[in-house]
Amino acid sequence: MKRKWIFVTGGSRGIGAQIVRSASRSFDVVFTYKSSVDEARLLAEQLNSEPGRQVEAVHCDVSDVSQVNDIAQSLIHRFGAPYAVINNAGVAEDRLFSNLDEQVLNAIFSQNVFSAFSVSRAFIGAMMGESDTCIINISSVSGVKGNIGQTAYSASKAALIGMTRSLALEMARFNMRVNSIAPGYIETDMTRHLKDNGSGLKKSIPLRRLGSTAEVASLVDYLMSEGAAYITGQTLVIDGGLSC
Ligand code: NDP
């Protein structure tokens, strides 16, 4: 039987790259990259050299609606509707509220929120014609609880949670499940700048460590599995207890 395929945004690095690695064991995967051209090419090459894996990297700035629509149309034409869309691409820029300006706000919302809307909208018509599909939005624990310097980032990630709930209600009759994952501190380029001399960051996390990209990817695998067939509209927090 032909394998189902999934679409992952921001698969060139960090959490997205691990989602691609893990999910490509069960699904054909198309992932997007923007700046990390070499990383994306290498990841696709490495995975395609393993038997049974089919992975394709496509250049796409997910904040550009026309690029997103063109790529979605071409992929639907080639492969039909995807089984899953994973809205993972995102950016973080920490600034105190007093230092926020329109430019930063627009950049964060267009890359973290509007991109998830345009990517989902580009595929959803085709997905509604299938009997079993899902959308997974990578939110953040910052969308569940506040964090100093993250008013814009927190608001953007909370917006994804709101979108998840309402879209889940709209899409349930098509047996499309829509869920979010809210990671805490995960070891990627995004958190590399956070200094920890042993007394700060890790002590604030009940499990005393940052999470791994593999731990987030396994939650994505679970949400795409039959075991999660009755889960929709939810936000699964994976944060080592940070938000307790
Ligand atoms: P990284 O900074 O390591 O990677 C970000 C990824 O997003 C890259 O693949 C990048 O592509 C892609 N990307 C960013 N902007 C765009 C864009 N406009 N168009 C296409 N691709 C884009 O981030 P993480 O892996 O850490 O984070 C992934 C997601 O998880 C984000 O949504 C983030 O907010 C969320 N998250 C991360 C946490 C963490 O602790 N790391 C915690 C909570 C949530 P390229 O390099 O090719 O430009």
Side-chain angles (χ1 to χ4, degrees), residues 35-46:
S35 323
S36 305
V37 182
D38 292 340
E39 289 88 340
R41 187 181 41 77
L42 206 63
L43 179 63
E45 271 173 20
Q46 274 170 357

Side-chain angles (χ1 to χ4, degrees), residues 10-16 32-36 60-63 88-91 111 138-140 153 157 183-186 188-191:
S12 48
R13 289 186 290 120
I15 293 171
T32 70
Y33 62 94
K34 189 177 83 168
S35 323
S36 305
C60 178
D61 179 348
V62 292
S63 64
N88 163 77
V91 292
Q111 297 189 82
I138 306 299
S139 175
S140 167
Y153 182 73
K157 292 299 185 178
Y185 294 107
I186 307 297
T188 69
D189 294 341
M190 194 176 270
T191 50

Side-chain angles (χ1 to χ4, degrees), residues 12 35 53 59 83 85-86 89 95 101 111 122 127 134-135 155 168 172 180 183 196 204 214 239:
S12 48
S35 323
R53 301 217 202 204
H59 179 267
Y83 167 66
V85 167
I86 319 291
R95 284 203 193 192
D101 56 36
Q111 297 189 82
M127 292 167 78
C134 59
I135 294 176
S180 302
D196 188 11
S204 72
D239 68 350

Side-chain angles (χ1 to χ4, degrees), residues 150-169:
Q150 293 200 326
T151 50
Y153 182 73
S154 290
S156 74
K157 292 299 185 178
L160 281 182
I161 292 172
M163 181 260 218
T164 297
R165 290 200 180 111
S166 294
L167 191 57
L169 290 175

Side-chain angles (χ1 to χ4, degrees), residues 61-114:
D61 179 348
V62 292
S63 64
D64 180 332
V65 184
S66 63
Q67 275 187 45
V68 167
N69 286 339
D70 287 349
I71 285 163
Q73 271 178 24
S74 139
L75 291 170
I76 291 167
H77 179 70
R78 287 169 62 204
F79 306 128
Y83 167 66
V85 167
I86 319 291
N87 288 307
N88 163 77
V91 292
E93 179 163 343
D94 289 5
R95 284 203 193 192
L96 290 177
F97 189 74
S98 50
N99 293 333
L100 266 183
D101 56 36
E102 295 302 315
Q103 210 181 340
V104 173
L105 264 176
N106 284 333
I108 289 180
F109 269 76
S110 86
Q111 297 189 82
N112 291 0
V113 185
F114 301 146

